[in-house]
């Protein structure tokens, strides 16, 4: 509809948020990474990069009339279950295992904490990640780097900063 009406808008299409992994702390404390992300690759994005791009686009649009723009907002790394657990293992100084790709078990676990419909939606999202991934291309990262004026934040930096925060109690 936005395209059909030729609205002067900016559409941000963010990848999976790095900050979603903050909820993994209880599982990580037990040596486990629980999101069933699969092995195809996902370009997790830091929410601060999304916010920075949104603010920049709002200011750009306020300054002048610009046509429709759509931006894939991605991180610089295509992460898999193996690379995610390796990153957490390195940052925590102990082995973190992958909880696996069992979507039935994931949905049942989630349904204990969120409404069943939301647990089902999460299952479908992770099934898509397992089947197709959500990778970023080199071009996607280059465009975002140009728009931000700096490289998107890496998952390794996010994990290191998160662990430092947990250790300092913040």
């Amino acid at each position: 509809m936005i395209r059909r009406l030729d609205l002067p808008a900016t559409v941000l299409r963010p990848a999976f948020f790095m900050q979603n992994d903050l909820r993994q702390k209880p599982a990580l404390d037990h040596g486990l990474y629980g999101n069933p992300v699969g092995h195809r690759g996902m370009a997790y994005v830091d929410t601060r990069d999304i916010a920075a791009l949104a603010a920049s686009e709002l200011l750009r649009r306020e300054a002048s009339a610009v046509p429709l723009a759509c931006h894939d907002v991605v991180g610089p790394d295509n992460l898999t279950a193996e690379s995610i657990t390796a990153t957490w293992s390195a940052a925590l100084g102990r082995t973190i295992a992958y909880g696996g790709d069992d979507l039935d078990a994931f949905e049942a676990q989630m349904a204990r904490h969120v409404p069943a419909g939301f647990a089902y939606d999460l299952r479908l999202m992770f099934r898509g990640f397992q089947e197709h991934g959500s990778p970023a291309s080199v071009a996607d990262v280059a465009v975002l780097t140009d728009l931000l004026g700096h490289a998107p934040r890496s998952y390794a930096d996010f994990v290191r900063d998160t662990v430092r925060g947990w250790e300092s109690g913040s």
Side-chain angles (χ1 to χ4, degrees):
M1 184 172 93
I2 292 170
R3 282 189 203 282
R4 189 168 27 94
L5 295 174
D6 196 29
L7 296 175
T10 297
V11 177
L12 303 182
R13 298 182 294 221
F16 191 76
F17 306 157
M18 291 178 191
Q19 282 73 8
N20 286 330
D21 279 0
L22 296 173
R23 295 184 185 117
Q24 290 294 316
K25 186 172 186 326
L28 291 166
D29 287 344
H30 290 93
L32 187 69
Y33 180 84
N35 281 339
V37 297
H39 312 278
R40 298 243 183 229
M42 298 172 55
Y44 283 33
V45 64
D46 192 291
T47 58
R48 291 170 287 193
D49 288 337
I50 299 168
L53 181 57
S56 171
E57 286 294 297
L58 286 170
L59 292 171
R60 185 174 73 95
R61 287 194 171 281
E62 181 180 66
S64 65
V66 292
L68 173 66
C70 295
H71 303 299
D72 292 326
V73 189
V74 298
D77 312 304
N78 286 316
L79 304 165
T80 62
E82 294 79 15
S83 63
I84 290 168
T85 55
T87 302
W88 281 109
S89 295
L92 293 167
R94 57 190 164 78
T95 300
I96 300 298
Y98 178 51
D101 294 332
D102 185 338
L103 294 171
D104 291 332
F106 174 76
E107 182 181 0
Q109 172 67 20
M110 291 306 299
R112 289 187 232 151
H113 305 285
V114 301
F118 184 53
Y120 179 72
D121 286 347
L122 290 170
R123 173 200 180 102
L124 295 179
M125 177 183 70
F126 281 107
R127 183 175 73 198
F129 292 153
Q130 287 180 9
E131 292 176 359
H132 309 288
S134 178
S137 70
V138 171
D140 292 335
V141 176
V143 167
L144 186 59
T145 298
D146 185 54
L147 290 168
L148 289 171
H150 60 81
R153 188 170 192 220
S154 74
Y155 187 72
D157 287 344
F158 163 76
V159 168
R160 275 192 300 275
D161 291 347
T162 297
V163 170
R164 273 191 226 115
W166 288 343
E167 290 171 345
S168 71
S170 56

